Amino acid sequence: MTLIIIGLIAYAVYRASVSVHNRKKEEQRKAEADRMKLEQVRMREEWKARVAEAKIETDRMIKIEREQMRLAKEQQRQAEELVKHEERIADLEFRMTQAESDIDHWTEQVGNLYALLDLEQIEQAGALAGSKTDIKCQKRIITLNNQIHMAEQRLAKAKHIKETAEKKLSA
């Protein structure tokens, strides 16, 4: 009977130790599960933070790219404007050079026409009034006066073009 009691006590001690061992195992399993849950929460939070950082970086890069595109368009517009400005300057310089040439030409022409007019008036003064020579001279004088008038108009126009071009170039 003592043996049975000792066997029962041993069995009870065994069962208690198995129960304690199982409880410890269960507590370790629960602790491990809690640790795994915490690790998963931490990893999810870390993942969300990385996604948020990536979104912020992507937005920043998109803003930079948009700004670069805006700057490129502005530079293109300024380059086109500069080309137009240079073309205007070249055109004005050409017009001024052409006007200077025209001024020289028409100044000389007006002088030559006045010289011819003087000669024609001298010849008419030596002719008898109403003679063929007088009439011929009068017609040539009228023609020369018309030619002088046209030459003086062209000279005035050339001077005006030159002055206008100079004003635009200096502005």
Side-chain angles (χ1 to χ4, degrees):
M1 176 96 158
T2 336
L3 223 32
I4 293 177
I5 293 181
I6 292 178
L8 283 172
I9 292 175
Y11 179 73
V13 168
Y14 168 74
R15 286 301 284 156
S17 82
V18 167
S19 177
V20 167
H21 178 70
N22 283 343
R23 227 179 307 136
K24 282 185 182 179
K25 266 186 159 181
E26 182 63 25
E27 286 174 3
Q28 284 178 348
R29 188 189 62 75
K30 281 184 181 179
E32 182 65 22
D34 289 345
R35 189 187 63 74
M36 295 276 286
K37 283 181 184 177
L38 286 173
E39 181 65 19
Q40 287 176 349
V41 167
R42 185 192 64 76
M43 288 175 69
R44 261 184 264 157
E45 292 301 319
E46 188 177 302
W47 175 255
K48 286 179 183 176
R50 285 185 182 168
V51 167
E53 287 175 8
K55 185 178 181 325
I56 290 169
E57 182 64 18
T58 301
D59 290 346
R60 186 184 69 80
M61 291 179 77
I62 288 171
K63 283 181 182 177
I64 289 172
E65 188 173 324
R66 285 181 182 158
E67 182 64 16
Q68 287 174 343
M69 288 174 60
R70 187 190 66 76
L71 288 173
K73 284 180 183 177
E74 178 63 20
Q75 286 176 339
Q76 178 68 26
R77 186 192 64 77
Q78 287 178 354
E80 290 170 358
E81 192 175 303
L82 183 61
V83 167
K84 287 179 184 177
H85 184 68
E86 288 174 352
E87 287 174 354
R88 275 187 60 218
I89 288 173
D91 181 53
L92 288 171
E93 287 174 346
F94 172 77
R95 289 175 69 190
M96 198 166 77
T97 303
Q98 188 67 39
E100 288 170 349
S101 173
D102 288 348
I103 289 169
D104 292 342
H105 171 74
W106 290 114
T107 300
E108 185 178 339
Q109 278 298 99
V110 167
N112 291 338
L113 288 170
Y114 273 117
L116 287 174
L117 180 63
D118 288 343
L119 291 173
E120 203 59 44
Q121 286 174 339
I122 291 170
E123 187 176 335
Q124 183 186 26
L128 291 173
S131 68
K132 286 184 180 182
T133 307
D134 181 45
I135 294 172
K136 227 194 272 183
C137 288
Q138 186 60 39
K139 285 181 181 180
R140 281 191 239 152
I141 288 172
I142 291 171
T143 302
L144 286 169
N145 280 329
N146 288 337
Q147 289 174 350
I148 289 170
H149 177 72
M150 291 301 295
E152 286 176 342
Q153 281 184 330
R154 290 179 179 161
L155 178 61
K157 182 179 178 182
K159 287 179 180 179
H160 174 73
I161 290 171
K162 180 182 176 190
E163 289 171 6
T164 305
E166 284 176 339
K167 284 179 186 175
K168 287 181 180 178
L169 277 173
S170 66

